Amino acid sequence: MVLGPAAPEHEPPQRYDVGDEVDVAIDGSSTNPPYDKGWARGVVAFKVCNVDDEHVKAVLPKKYLRDLPPHMGFAYLVKLHDDKGYAPSHHDDPDFIRATDKKYAHDAPTRFAVGDQVECQVGPDVWHRGTVRERRVPYPGYGRGWTEDGEENKKHAGPKDTVAYNVTPHGVTYDSDDEMSSIMVPADKDCFVRAWDGDEADDSSAGEQANPPVTAAQHETLREAFSGLGSNQIDIPHG
């Protein structure tokens, strides 16, 4: 028998793939400037996991899993380097997981240029046409360099995390005060953004952002779940 996740009915778009090397947050200090503590390096082993999955229960401590909310999902399960076990990333967000590979770097080349016509996934199997407005730019509240309110963190002197693109929806004039006039694209992958093929039939309303940043309420829920645990990887059995 092979332990592994069942295919979800709709696989959500994700920034990283199985086999990618990443840094994963293992305790609350990971969100504090200069963001160099509370992280462990490893390789993505599974995507879209749940505390009830057999492959998750096989590698994470029972006590750790019992302290989490029922049926809680993970965006990724990361196998840590040096046989240090596994650690989950609860959200596909740079506060929880970030890549080390140069192909994901803030200055990495992009497939599309400013002014290109593209389609962005804005919901399950829902795509909306738009025009690339910016590439490899910081996004308020997204990762390093921001407070939970989306304001610049004055304590952070280093670079901010970036998104792949900001896209202006077709038929809309960009307004910095109107969140609905822009689509944030976190990664330059086909599951998030693709070239527009000229077919108007698939055009749909941009009713939500693709992969929005983790909210303050979600952060607080996770902090409560992690209270009393020193890190994600406490007593994690080695494979």
Side-chain angles (χ1 to χ4, degrees):
M1 180 178 71
V2 178
L3 289 176
E9 292 183 6
H10 174 80
E11 185 172 345
Q14 290 185 276
R15 293 180 298 151
Y16 306 131
D17 297 316
V18 170
D20 282 344
E21 186 180 64
V22 294
D23 287 332
V24 60
I26 57 172
D27 65 47
S29 65
S30 61
T31 59
N32 299 327
Y35 309 103
D36 57 355
K37 295 180 174 62
W39 296 86
R41 187 155 295 182
V43 174
V44 174
F46 297 105
K47 299 164 55 175
V48 192
C49 305
N50 189 285
V51 295
D52 299 319
D53 291 338
E54 292 300 324
H55 62 288
V56 173
K57 292 188 286 186
V59 298
L60 295 183
K62 292 181 180 179
K63 180 184 182 304
Y64 173 79
L65 294 173
R66 282 198 305 266
D67 289 340
L68 295 177
H71 313 301
M72 188 172 193
F74 308 138
Y76 303 96
L77 189 61
V78 177
K79 188 179 189 304
L80 303 179
H81 289 337
D82 303 320
D83 291 325
K84 292 183 178 179
Y86 290 76
S89 174
H90 293 264
H91 294 276
D92 188 13
D93 181 282
D95 283 340
F96 293 86
I97 188 170
R98 57 194 191 210
T100 61
D101 194 294
K102 289 183 179 179
K103 67 182 179 181
Y104 295 113
H106 69 278
D107 57 353
T110 58
R111 294 177 297 155
F112 304 114
V114 171
D116 282 354
Q117 297 290 298
V118 295
E119 287 183 313
C120 305
Q121 185 171 180
V122 296
D125 298 321
V126 179
W127 295 79
H128 189 79
R129 175 186 168 194
T131 304
V132 174
R133 189 178 70 255
E134 297 175 299
R135 301 182 299 167
R136 302 293 186 200
V137 292
Y139 188 86
Y142 189 75
R144 290 169 287 187
W146 306 93
T147 68
E148 291 184 359
D149 297 326
E151 302 294 330
E152 288 199 51
N153 192 327
K154 303 301 183 182
K155 297 180 181 179
H156 179 57
K160 296 181 176 67
D161 290 295
T162 61
V163 299
Y165 304 100
N166 279 325
V167 173
T168 302
H170 178 63
V172 173
T173 300
Y174 172 65
D175 181 349
S176 60
D177 294 324
D178 181 6
E179 293 183 355
M180 299 305 295
S181 70
S182 184
I183 302 172
M184 183 270 276
V185 181
D188 190 15
K189 296 177 63 178
D190 278 339
C191 58
F192 289 104
V193 59
R194 64 193 184 192
W196 179 57
D197 62 7
D199 185 0
E200 296 285 358
D202 291 334
D203 210 17
S204 55
S205 175
E208 59 183 288
Q209 283 186 336
N211 196 33
V214 178
T215 66
Q218 287 172 317
H219 276 297
E220 186 59 32
T221 298
L222 288 170
R223 288 194 189 95
E224 292 175 1
F226 279 106
S227 62
L229 294 174
S231 83
N232 273 359
Q233 52 178 318
I234 287 180
D235 297 327
I236 292 179
H238 294 171

